[in-house]
């Protein structure tokens, strides 16, 4: 009788142990290392936007013009240092990259990378239609934008380009150095004012 009880208990224990499921912990997903900052001299005043200081962070977006099959659609890539706690921010844009939207929702990764590698010293272009542009928003919300035909000796250079991907997207990381005038129109009759941005450097990324 005792032997029967012992055998029954052993069988039950073996069954329970055999049914235990081991938890499978998935490997952590790769997350791209994305760092951002801005510093420069705006109208002779040193200005710096640093991640996690006064709420500043980097944000990549893009502006697309989608056309029917057989026509080139275009995209301008944008990056800005901004904060949800203040209006002051700095944005740069580079475009346009063309592709046929009938074949894909956007340029493929090779085309995306080649576009930036061949535009290290782009010309200034209004709204980034065929080059680089800058939009600066000051502390009171005035918006100042660079011009393609500015009489000031404008400059821009991209360096430290590297491409990285993660489950959220593909990124072209960069450091951009630039100097330019940015303008705004106000009043009636319309008047134009400008600010001088010098020795500016913005570190960030464009996203495909």
């Amino acid at each position: 009788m005792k032997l029967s009880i012992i055998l029954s208990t052993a069988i039950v224990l073996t069954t329970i142990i055999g049914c235990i499921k081991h938890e499978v912990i998935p490997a952590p997903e790769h997350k791209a290392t994305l760092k951002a900052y801005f510093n420069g001299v705006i109208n002779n005043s040193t200005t710096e936007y640093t991640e996690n200081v006064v709420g500043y962070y980097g944000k990549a977006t893009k502006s697309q013009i989608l056309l029917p099959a057989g026509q080139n659609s275009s995209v301008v890539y944008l990056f800005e240092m901004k904060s949800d706690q203040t209006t002051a921010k700095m944005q740069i844009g580079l475009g346009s990259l063309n592709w046929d939207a009938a074949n894909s929702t956007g340029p493929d990764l090779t085309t995306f990378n080649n576009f930036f590698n061949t535009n290290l010293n782009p010309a200034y272009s209004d709204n980034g239609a065929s080059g680089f542009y800058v939009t600066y928003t000051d502390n009171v919300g005035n918006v100042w934008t660079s011009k393609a035909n500015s009489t000031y000796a404008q400059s821009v250079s991209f360096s430290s380009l590297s491409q990285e991907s993660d489950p959220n997207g593909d990124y072209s990381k960069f450091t951009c150095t630039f100097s330019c005038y940015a303008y705004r129109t106000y009043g009636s009759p319309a008047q134009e004012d400008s600010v001088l941005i010098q020795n500016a450097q913005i570190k960030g990324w464009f996203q495909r």
Side-chain angles (χ1 to χ4, degrees):
M1 183 67 178
K2 289 184 178 179
L3 179 59
S4 175
I5 293 172
I6 292 172
L7 288 174
S8 298
T9 303
I11 292 170
V12 171
L13 288 174
T14 301
T15 303
I16 293 173
I17 293 171
C19 292
I20 293 175
K21 293 183 178 180
H22 296 282
E23 182 180 2
V24 177
I25 301 175
E29 287 188 340
H30 169 72
K31 188 174 178 64
T33 302
L34 303 174
K35 300 293 184 181
Y37 71 79
F38 167 80
N39 62 67
V41 179
I42 302 177
N43 270 1
N44 298 315
S45 177
T46 299
T47 303
E48 182 173 343
Y49 306 145
T50 303
E51 277 189 300
N52 303 317
V53 177
V54 198
Y56 274 96
Y57 60 95
K59 182 178 181 180
T61 55
K62 56 190 174 185
S63 175
Q64 293 182 320
I65 298 177
L66 301 178
L67 297 178
Q71 301 181 55
N72 278 335
S73 296
S74 63
V75 54
V76 177
Y77 294 99
L78 306 167
F79 181 80
E80 63 184 337
M81 282 298 296
K82 63 178 297 184
S83 169
D84 297 331
Q85 300 177 26
T86 179
T87 59
K89 62 182 180 179
M90 182 65 68
Q91 181 187 70
I92 63 170
L94 183 62
S96 291
L97 177 53
N98 299 321
W99 88 102
D100 189 344
N103 297 325
S104 63
T105 57
D108 61 33
L109 183 57
T110 299
T111 304
F112 175 79
N113 287 331
N114 288 342
F115 177 72
F116 299 112
N117 287 325
T118 56
N119 281 284
L120 298 179
N121 301 102
Y124 277 74
S125 171
D126 293 339
N127 299 316
S130 58
F132 177 79
Y133 82 110
V134 174
T135 299
Y136 163 61
T137 304
D138 63 26
N139 288 320
V140 295
N142 295 320
V143 179
W144 312 76
T145 305
S146 62
K147 287 184 177 182
N149 62 353
S150 174
T151 56
Y152 177 73
Q154 304 180 121
S155 65
V156 56
S157 176
F158 283 88
S159 61
S160 303
L161 261 67
S162 64
Q163 191 268 312
E164 190 172 0
S165 300
D166 66 17
N168 294 317
D170 303 305
Y171 314 95
S172 180
K173 303 189 292 186
F174 60 80
T175 298
C176 179
T177 304
F178 63 94
S179 294
C180 67
Y181 271 103
Y183 304 84
R184 75 179 183 100
T185 301
Y186 66 97
S188 181
Q191 302 177 65
E192 186 175 72
D193 200 359
S194 63
V195 294
L196 176 59
I197 304 172
Q198 295 174 291
N199 303 318
Q201 187 173 81
I202 189 165
K203 182 179 179 68
W205 62 90
F206 295 123
Q207 183 170 357
R208 186 168 75 94

PDB file of all heavy atoms in Angstrom, residues 174-206:
ATOM      1  N   PHE A 174      24.017  63.369 -38.657  1.00  0.00           N
ATOM      2  CA  PHE A 174      24.925  64.373 -39.206  1.00  0.00           C
ATOM      3  C   PHE A 174      25.286  65.425 -38.166  1.00  0.00           C
ATOM      4  O   PHE A 174      24.640  65.565 -37.118  1.00  0.00           O
ATOM      5  CB  PHE A 174      24.266  65.081 -40.402  1.00  0.00           C
ATOM      6  CG  PHE A 174      22.982  65.800 -40.040  1.00  0.00           C
ATOM      7  CD1 PHE A 174      22.988  67.049 -39.428  1.00  0.00           C
ATOM      8  CD2 PHE A 174      21.749  65.204 -40.271  1.00  0.00           C
ATOM      9  CE1 PHE A 174      21.814  67.693 -39.069  1.00  0.00           C
ATOM     10  CE2 PHE A 174      20.561  65.840 -39.907  1.00  0.00           C
ATOM     11  CZ  PHE A 174      20.600  67.089 -39.305  1.00  0.00           C
ATOM     12  N   THR A 175      26.311  66.189 -38.513  1.00  0.00           N
ATOM     13  CA  THR A 175      26.596  67.478 -37.880  1.00  0.00           C
ATOM     14  C   THR A 175      26.582  68.511 -38.987  1.00  0.00           C
ATOM     15  O   THR A 175      27.252  68.340 -40.014  1.00  0.00           O
ATOM     16  CB  THR A 175      27.958  67.477 -37.172  1.00  0.00           C
ATOM     17  OG1 THR A 175      27.951  66.489 -36.131  1.00  0.00           O
ATOM     18  CG2 THR A 175      28.249  68.844 -36.572  1.00  0.00           C
ATOM     19  N   CYS A 176      25.798  69.567 -38.840  1.00  0.00           N
ATOM     20  CA  CYS A 176      25.660  70.604 -39.866  1.00  0.00           C
ATOM     21  C   CYS A 176      26.148  71.939 -39.307  1.00  0.00           C
ATOM     22  O   CYS A 176      25.694  72.382 -38.249  1.00  0.00           O
ATOM     23  CB  CYS A 176      24.202  70.717 -40.304  1.00  0.00           C
ATOM     24  SG  CYS A 176      23.920  72.005 -41.554  1.00  0.00           S
ATOM     25  N   THR A 177      27.069  72.570 -40.026  1.00  0.00           N
ATOM     26  CA  THR A 177      27.610  73.876 -39.649  1.00  0.00           C
ATOM     27  C   THR A 177      27.160  74.897 -40.689  1.00  0.00           C
ATOM     28  O   THR A 177      27.287  74.641 -41.896  1.00  0.00           O
ATOM     29  CB  THR A 177      29.143  73.835 -39.585  1.00  0.00           C
ATOM     30  OG1 THR A 177      29.538  72.796 -38.674  1.00  0.00           O
ATOM     31  CG2 THR A 177      29.714  75.159 -39.112  1.00  0.00           C
ATOM     32  N   PHE A 178      26.637  76.041 -40.241  1.00  0.00           N
ATOM     33  CA  PHE A 178      26.134  77.015 -41.213  1.00  0.00           C
ATOM     34  C   PHE A 178      26.158  78.440 -40.665  1.00  0.00           C
ATOM     35  O   PHE A 178      26.198  78.668 -39.439  1.00  0.00           O
ATOM     36  CB  PHE A 178      24.707  76.655 -41.646  1.00  0.00           C
ATOM     37  CG  PHE A 178      23.681  76.684 -40.534  1.00  0.00           C
ATOM     38  CD1 PHE A 178      22.922  77.810 -40.278  1.00  0.00           C
ATOM     39  CD2 PHE A 178      23.468  75.555 -39.742  1.00  0.00           C
ATOM     40  CE1 PHE A 178      21.967  77.828 -39.259  1.00  0.00           C
ATOM     41  CE2 PHE A 178      22.523  75.548 -38.732  1.00  0.00           C
ATOM     42  CZ  PHE A 178      21.769  76.685 -38.493  1.00  0.00           C
ATOM     43  N   SER A 179      26.141  79.398 -41.588  1.00  0.00           N
ATOM     44  CA  SER A 179      25.996  80.824 -41.281  1.00  0.00           C
ATOM     45  C   SER A 179      25.116  81.429 -42.367  1.00  0.00           C
ATOM     46  O   SER A 179      25.272  81.112 -43.553  1.00  0.00           O
ATOM     47  CB  SER A 179      27.351  81.538 -41.268  1.00  0.00           C
ATOM     48  OG  SER A 179      28.168  81.079 -40.216  1.00  0.00           O
ATOM     49  N   CYS A 180      24.174  82.280 -41.961  1.00  0.00           N
ATOM     50  CA  CYS A 180      23.272  82.890 -42.945  1.00  0.00           C
ATOM     51  C   CYS A 180      22.484  84.026 -42.302  1.00  0.00           C
ATOM     52  O   CYS A 180      22.461  84.172 -41.079  1.00  0.00           O
ATOM     53  CB  CYS A 180      22.304  81.850 -43.516  1.00  0.00           C
ATOM     54  SG  CYS A 180      21.116  81.209 -42.306  1.00  0.00           S
ATOM     55  N   TYR A 181      21.820  84.813 -43.140  1.00  0.00           N
ATOM     56  CA  TYR A 181      20.771  85.700 -42.681  1.00  0.00           C
ATOM     57  C   TYR A 181      19.440  84.971 -42.794  1.00  0.00           C
ATOM     58  O   TYR A 181      19.231  84.175 -43.715  1.00  0.00           O
ATOM     59  CB  TYR A 181      20.723  86.973 -43.531  1.00  0.00           C
ATOM     60  CG  TYR A 181      21.604  88.088 -43.025  1.00  0.00           C
ATOM     61  CD1 TYR A 181      22.823  88.364 -43.645  1.00  0.00           C
ATOM     62  CD2 TYR A 181      21.216  88.861 -41.939  1.00  0.00           C
ATOM     63  CE1 TYR A 181      23.632  89.389 -43.196  1.00  0.00           C
ATOM     64  CE2 TYR A 181      22.025  89.893 -41.476  1.00  0.00           C
ATOM     65  CZ  TYR A 181      23.225  90.157 -42.101  1.00  0.00           C
ATOM     66  OH  TYR A 181      24.035  91.166 -41.642  1.00  0.00           O
ATOM     67  N   ALA A 182      18.534  85.237 -41.863  1.00  0.00           N
ATOM     68  CA  ALA A 182      17.166  84.741 -41.947  1.00  0.00           C
ATOM     69  C   ALA A 182      16.232  85.947 -41.863  1.00  0.00           C
ATOM     70  O   ALA A 182      16.530  86.927 -41.168  1.00  0.00           O
ATOM     71  CB  ALA A 182      16.871  83.751 -40.824  1.00  0.00           C
ATOM     72  N   TYR A 183      15.109  85.896 -42.571  1.00  0.00           N
ATOM     73  CA  TYR A 183      14.265  87.072 -42.774  1.00  0.00           C
ATOM     74  C   TYR A 183      12.827  86.809 -42.352  1.00  0.00           C
ATOM     75  O   TYR A 183      12.352  85.671 -42.354  1.00  0.00           O
ATOM     76  CB  TYR A 183      14.268  87.449 -44.263  1.00  0.00           C
ATOM     77  CG  TYR A 183      15.649  87.698 -44.832  1.00  0.00           C
ATOM     78  CD1 TYR A 183      16.431  86.629 -45.286  1.00  0.00           C
ATOM     79  CD2 TYR A 183      16.170  88.976 -44.916  1.00  0.00           C
ATOM     80  CE1 TYR A 183      17.696  86.842 -45.810  1.00  0.00           C
ATOM     81  CE2 TYR A 183      17.439  89.210 -45.444  1.00  0.00           C
ATOM     82  CZ  TYR A 183      18.191  88.134 -45.888  1.00  0.00           C
ATOM     83  OH  TYR A 183      19.450  88.352 -46.397  1.00  0.00           O
ATOM     84  N   ARG A 184      12.129  87.905 -42.030  1.00  0.00           N
ATOM     85  CA  ARG A 184      10.677  87.834 -41.816  1.00  0.00           C
ATOM     86  C   ARG A 184      10.050  89.099 -42.366  1.00  0.00           C
ATOM     87  O   ARG A 184      10.670  90.175 -42.404  1.00  0.00           O
ATOM     88  CB  ARG A 184      10.319  87.668 -40.340  1.00  0.00           C
ATOM     89  CG  ARG A 184      10.468  88.917 -39.487  1.00  0.00           C
ATOM     90  CD  ARG A 184      10.064  88.652 -38.044  1.00  0.00           C
ATOM     91  NE  ARG A 184      10.132  89.871 -37.236  1.00  0.00           N
ATOM     92  CZ  ARG A 184       9.078  90.632 -36.919  1.00  0.00           C
ATOM     93  NH1 ARG A 184       7.878  90.290 -37.331  1.00  0.00           N
ATOM     94  NH2 ARG A 184       9.219  91.713 -36.175  1.00  0.00           N
ATOM     95  N   THR A 185       8.804  88.989 -42.834  1.00  0.00           N
ATOM     96  CA  THR A 185       8.045  90.123 -43.357  1.00  0.00           C
ATOM     97  C   THR A 185       6.916  90.429 -42.382  1.00  0.00           C
ATOM     98  O   THR A 185       6.257  89.516 -41.875  1.00  0.00           O
ATOM     99  CB  THR A 185       7.472  89.799 -44.745  1.00  0.00           C
ATOM    100  OG1 THR A 185       8.551  89.472 -45.634  1.00  0.00           O
ATOM    101  CG2 THR A 185       6.713  90.982 -45.313  1.00  0.00           C
ATOM    102  N   TYR A 186       6.693  91.718 -42.106  1.00  0.00           N
ATOM    103  CA  TYR A 186       5.660  92.096 -41.137  1.00  0.00           C
ATOM    104  C   TYR A 186       5.082  93.454 -41.512  1.00  0.00           C
ATOM    105  O   TYR A 186       5.652  94.213 -42.304  1.00  0.00           O
ATOM    106  CB  TYR A 186       6.247  92.165 -39.725  1.00  0.00           C
ATOM    107  CG  TYR A 186       7.266  93.270 -39.541  1.00  0.00           C
ATOM    108  CD1 TYR A 186       6.895  94.507 -38.995  1.00  0.00           C
ATOM    109  CD2 TYR A 186       8.587  93.102 -39.936  1.00  0.00           C
ATOM    110  CE1 TYR A 186       7.815  95.532 -38.845  1.00  0.00           C
ATOM    111  CE2 TYR A 186       9.514  94.121 -39.781  1.00  0.00           C
ATOM    112  CZ  TYR A 186       9.123  95.326 -39.238  1.00  0.00           C
ATOM    113  OH  TYR A 186      10.041  96.354 -39.102  1.00  0.00           O
ATOM    114  N   GLY A 187       3.939  93.782 -40.912  1.00  0.00           N
ATOM    115  CA  GLY A 187       3.336  95.109 -41.017  1.00  0.00           C
ATOM    116  C   GLY A 187       2.613  95.362 -42.325  1.00  0.00           C
ATOM    117  O   GLY A 187       2.618  94.565 -43.252  1.00  0.00           O
ATOM    118  N   SER A 188       1.962  96.524 -42.385  1.00  0.00           N
ATOM    119  CA  SER A 188       1.268  96.987 -43.577  1.00  0.00           C
ATOM    120  C   SER A 188       1.481  98.497 -43.704  1.00  0.00           C
ATOM    121  O   SER A 188       1.043  99.263 -42.818  1.00  0.00           O
ATOM    122  CB  SER A 188      -0.231  96.674 -43.478  1.00  0.00           C
ATOM    123  OG  SER A 188      -0.913  97.099 -44.628  1.00  0.00           O
ATOM    124  N   PRO A 189       2.181  98.957 -44.721  1.00  0.00           N
ATOM    125  CA  PRO A 189       2.734  98.155 -45.822  1.00  0.00           C
ATOM    126  C   PRO A 189       3.839  97.210 -45.319  1.00  0.00           C
ATOM    127  O   PRO A 189       4.448  97.443 -44.283  1.00  0.00           O
ATOM    128  CB  PRO A 189       3.309  99.200 -46.777  1.00  0.00           C
ATOM    129  CG  PRO A 189       3.624 100.370 -45.887  1.00  0.00           C
ATOM    130  CD  PRO A 189       2.547 100.389 -44.833  1.00  0.00           C
ATOM    131  N   ALA A 190       4.043  96.155 -46.082  1.00  0.00           N
ATOM    132  CA  ALA A 190       4.969  95.101 -45.675  1.00  0.00           C
ATOM    133  C   ALA A 190       6.394  95.630 -45.536  1.00  0.00           C
ATOM    134  O   ALA A 190       6.887  96.388 -46.367  1.00  0.00           O
ATOM    135  CB  ALA A 190       4.925  93.969 -46.692  1.00  0.00           C
ATOM    136  N   GLN A 191       7.023  95.233 -44.451  1.00  0.00           N
ATOM    137  CA  GLN A 191       8.419  95.561 -44.210  1.00  0.00           C
ATOM    138  C   GLN A 191       9.189  94.263 -43.950  1.00  0.00           C
ATOM    139  O   GLN A 191       8.602  93.273 -43.529  1.00  0.00           O
ATOM    140  CB  GLN A 191       8.552  96.483 -42.993  1.00  0.00           C
ATOM    141  CG  GLN A 191       7.772  97.782 -43.119  1.00  0.00           C
ATOM    142  CD  GLN A 191       7.885  98.608 -41.847  1.00  0.00           C
ATOM    143  OE1 GLN A 191       8.971  99.066 -41.488  1.00  0.00           O
ATOM    144  NE2 GLN A 191       6.770  98.799 -41.163  1.00  0.00           N
ATOM    145  N   GLU A 192      10.489  94.301 -44.197  1.00  0.00           N
ATOM    146  CA  GLU A 192      11.309  93.104 -44.002  1.00  0.00           C
ATOM    147  C   GLU A 192      12.390  93.373 -42.969  1.00  0.00           C
ATOM    148  O   GLU A 192      13.004  94.436 -42.952  1.00  0.00           O
ATOM    149  CB  GLU A 192      11.953  92.675 -45.324  1.00  0.00           C
ATOM    150  CG  GLU A 192      12.702  91.354 -45.226  1.00  0.00           C
ATOM    151  CD  GLU A 192      13.233  90.890 -46.559  1.00  0.00           C
ATOM    152  OE1 GLU A 192      14.210  91.510 -47.052  1.00  0.00           O
ATOM    153  OE2 GLU A 192      12.692  89.910 -47.105  1.00  0.00           O
ATOM    154  N   ASP A 193      12.595  92.426 -42.114  1.00  0.00           N
ATOM    155  CA  ASP A 193      13.640  92.495 -41.096  1.00  0.00           C
ATOM    156  C   ASP A 193      14.482  91.230 -41.205  1.00  0.00           C
ATOM    157  O   ASP A 193      14.083  90.260 -41.851  1.00  0.00           O
ATOM    158  CB  ASP A 193      13.015  92.614 -39.703  1.00  0.00           C
ATOM    159  CG  ASP A 193      13.997  93.173 -38.683  1.00  0.00           C
ATOM    160  OD1 ASP A 193      15.160  93.452 -39.052  1.00  0.00           O
ATOM    161  OD2 ASP A 193      13.600  93.304 -37.507  1.00  0.00           O
ATOM    162  N   SER A 194      15.649  91.221 -40.576  1.00  0.00           N
ATOM    163  CA  SER A 194      16.525  90.047 -40.685  1.00  0.00           C
ATOM    164  C   SER A 194      17.289  89.830 -39.387  1.00  0.00           C
ATOM    165  O   SER A 194      17.456  90.751 -38.576  1.00  0.00           O
ATOM    166  CB  SER A 194      17.513  90.214 -41.847  1.00  0.00           C
ATOM    167  OG  SER A 194      18.379  91.319 -41.618  1.00  0.00           O
ATOM    168  N   VAL A 195      17.743  88.605 -39.213  1.00  0.00           N
ATOM    169  CA  VAL A 195      18.657  88.266 -38.127  1.00  0.00           C
ATOM    170  C   VAL A 195      19.861  87.564 -38.743  1.00  0.00           C
ATOM    171  O   VAL A 195      19.735  86.854 -39.752  1.00  0.00           O
ATOM    172  CB  VAL A 195      18.009  87.350 -37.057  1.00  0.00           C
ATOM    173  CG1 VAL A 195      16.891  88.067 -36.330  1.00  0.00           C
ATOM    174  CG2 VAL A 195      17.510  86.051 -37.666  1.00  0.00           C
ATOM    175  N   LEU A 196      21.022  87.757 -38.140  1.00  0.00           N
ATOM    176  CA  LEU A 196      22.237  87.128 -38.616  1.00  0.00           C
ATOM    177  C   LEU A 196      22.557  85.921 -37.731  1.00  0.00           C
ATOM    178  O   LEU A 196      22.676  86.040 -36.509  1.00  0.00           O
ATOM    179  CB  LEU A 196      23.398  88.126 -38.576  1.00  0.00           C
ATOM    180  CG  LEU A 196      24.776  87.585 -38.961  1.00  0.00           C
ATOM    181  CD1 LEU A 196      24.765  87.028 -40.379  1.00  0.00           C
ATOM    182  CD2 LEU A 196      25.835  88.678 -38.809  1.00  0.00           C
ATOM    183  N   ILE A 197      22.662  84.761 -38.357  1.00  0.00           N
ATOM    184  CA  ILE A 197      23.017  83.529 -37.661  1.00  0.00           C
ATOM    185  C   ILE A 197      24.446  83.174 -38.062  1.00  0.00           C
ATOM    186  O   ILE A 197      24.726  82.965 -39.250  1.00  0.00           O
ATOM    187  CB  ILE A 197      22.058  82.384 -38.024  1.00  0.00           C
ATOM    188  CG1 ILE A 197      20.606  82.777 -37.725  1.00  0.00           C
ATOM    189  CG2 ILE A 197      22.428  81.105 -37.265  1.00  0.00           C
ATOM    190  CD1 ILE A 197      19.579  81.777 -38.228  1.00  0.00           C
ATOM    191  N   GLN A 198      25.357  83.093 -37.095  1.00  0.00           N
ATOM    192  CA  GLN A 198      26.775  82.859 -37.381  1.00  0.00           C
ATOM    193  C   GLN A 198      27.309  81.656 -36.618  1.00  0.00           C
ATOM    194  O   GLN A 198      26.888  81.384 -35.483  1.00  0.00           O
ATOM    195  CB  GLN A 198      27.608  84.087 -36.998  1.00  0.00           C
ATOM    196  CG  GLN A 198      27.303  85.332 -37.812  1.00  0.00           C
ATOM    197  CD  GLN A 198      28.054  86.537 -37.267  1.00  0.00           C
ATOM    198  OE1 GLN A 198      27.759  87.027 -36.170  1.00  0.00           O
ATOM    199  NE2 GLN A 198      29.036  87.000 -38.024  1.00  0.00           N
ATOM    200  N   ASN A 199      28.263  80.978 -37.254  1.00  0.00           N
ATOM    201  CA  ASN A 199      28.975  79.865 -36.603  1.00  0.00           C
ATOM    202  C   ASN A 199      28.010  78.899 -35.922  1.00  0.00           C
ATOM    203  O   ASN A 199      28.266  78.415 -34.811  1.00  0.00           O
ATOM    204  CB  ASN A 199      29.983  80.406 -35.584  1.00  0.00           C
ATOM    205  CG  ASN A 199      30.983  81.356 -36.215  1.00  0.00           C
ATOM    206  OD1 ASN A 199      31.485  81.102 -37.317  1.00  0.00           O
ATOM    207  ND2 ASN A 199      31.267  82.462 -35.534  1.00  0.00           N
ATOM    208  N   ALA A 200      26.912  78.625 -36.587  1.00  0.00           N
ATOM    209  CA  ALA A 200      25.896  77.738 -36.020  1.00  0.00           C
ATOM    210  C   ALA A 200      26.255  76.277 -36.289  1.00  0.00           C
ATOM    211  O   ALA A 200      26.816  75.939 -37.331  1.00  0.00           O
ATOM    212  CB  ALA A 200      24.536  78.051 -36.621  1.00  0.00           C
ATOM    213  N   GLN A 201      25.928  75.434 -35.343  1.00  0.00           N
ATOM    214  CA  GLN A 201      26.143  74.001 -35.511  1.00  0.00           C
ATOM    215  C   GLN A 201      24.955  73.253 -34.922  1.00  0.00           C
ATOM    216  O   GLN A 201      24.548  73.506 -33.793  1.00  0.00           O
ATOM    217  CB  GLN A 201      27.426  73.544 -34.832  1.00  0.00           C
ATOM    218  CG  GLN A 201      27.778  72.087 -35.137  1.00  0.00           C
ATOM    219  CD  GLN A 201      29.139  71.703 -34.582  1.00  0.00           C
ATOM    220  OE1 GLN A 201      29.256  71.399 -33.394  1.00  0.00           O
ATOM    221  NE2 GLN A 201      30.166  71.711 -35.425  1.00  0.00           N
ATOM    222  N   ILE A 202      24.400  72.373 -35.728  1.00  0.00           N
ATOM    223  CA  ILE A 202      23.284  71.567 -35.270  1.00  0.00           C
ATOM    224  C   ILE A 202      23.621  70.092 -35.520  1.00  0.00           C
ATOM    225  O   ILE A 202      24.072  69.729 -36.606  1.00  0.00           O
ATOM    226  CB  ILE A 202      21.964  71.983 -35.958  1.00  0.00           C
ATOM    227  CG1 ILE A 202      20.761  71.282 -35.324  1.00  0.00           C
ATOM    228  CG2 ILE A 202      21.995  71.753 -37.455  1.00  0.00           C
ATOM    229  CD1 ILE A 202      19.417  71.908 -35.714  1.00  0.00           C
ATOM    230  N   LYS A 203      23.453  69.303 -34.505  1.00  0.00           N
ATOM    231  CA  LYS A 203      23.696  67.854 -34.601  1.00  0.00           C
ATOM    232  C   LYS A 203      22.348  67.173 -34.541  1.00  0.00           C
ATOM    233  O   LYS A 203      21.527  67.467 -33.675  1.00  0.00           O
ATOM    234  CB  LYS A 203      24.573  67.377 -33.458  1.00  0.00           C
ATOM    235  CG  LYS A 203      24.920  65.886 -33.510  1.00  0.00           C
ATOM    236  CD  LYS A 203      25.813  65.514 -32.337  1.00  0.00           C
ATOM    237  CE  LYS A 203      26.162  64.019 -32.354  1.00  0.00           C
ATOM    238  NZ  LYS A 203      27.043  63.677 -33.484  1.00  0.00           N
ATOM    239  N   GLY A 204      22.099  66.253 -35.487  1.00  0.00           N
ATOM    240  CA  GLY A 204      20.810  65.593 -35.504  1.00  0.00           C
ATOM    241  C   GLY A 204      20.758  64.497 -36.537  1.00  0.00           C
ATOM    242  O   GLY A 204      21.765  63.869 -36.840  1.00  0.00           O
ATOM    243  N   TRP A 205      19.580  64.303 -37.126  1.00  0.00           N
ATOM    244  CA  TRP A 205      19.385  63.221 -38.080  1.00  0.00           C
ATOM    245  C   TRP A 205      18.192  63.518 -38.969  1.00  0.00           C
ATOM    246  O   TRP A 205      17.290  64.262 -38.607  1.00  0.00           O
ATOM    247  CB  TRP A 205      19.143  61.899 -37.344  1.00  0.00           C
ATOM    248  CG  TRP A 205      17.912  61.886 -36.501  1.00  0.00           C
ATOM    249  CD1 TRP A 205      16.649  61.509 -36.872  1.00  0.00           C
ATOM    250  CD2 TRP A 205      17.803  62.328 -35.124  1.00  0.00           C
ATOM    251  NE1 TRP A 205      15.766  61.676 -35.830  1.00  0.00           N
ATOM    252  CE2 TRP A 205      16.450  62.177 -34.743  1.00  0.00           C
ATOM    253  CE3 TRP A 205      18.713  62.834 -34.198  1.00  0.00           C
ATOM    254  CZ2 TRP A 205      15.998  62.498 -33.467  1.00  0.00           C
ATOM    255  CZ3 TRP A 205      18.260  63.167 -32.923  1.00  0.00           C
ATOM    256  CH2 TRP A 205      16.916  62.992 -32.570  1.00  0.00           C
ATOM    257  N   PHE A 206      18.242  62.990 -40.180  1.00  0.00           N
ATOM    258  CA  PHE A 206      17.083  62.958 -41.068  1.00  0.00           C
ATOM    259  C   PHE A 206      16.548  61.527 -41.074  1.00  0.00           C
ATOM    260  O   PHE A 206      17.316  60.571 -40.964  1.00  0.00           O
ATOM    261  CB  PHE A 206      17.452  63.375 -42.502  1.00  0.00           C
ATOM    262  CG  PHE A 206      17.910  64.804 -42.621  1.00  0.00           C
ATOM    263  CD1 PHE A 206      19.159  65.099 -43.153  1.00  0.00           C
ATOM    264  CD2 PHE A 206      17.108  65.851 -42.194  1.00  0.00           C
ATOM    265  CE1 PHE A 206      19.584  66.403 -43.275  1.00  0.00           C
ATOM    266  CE2 PHE A 206      17.532  67.169 -42.307  1.00  0.00           C
ATOM    267  CZ  PHE A 206      18.778  67.450 -42.859  1.00  0.00           C
TER     268      PHE A 206
END
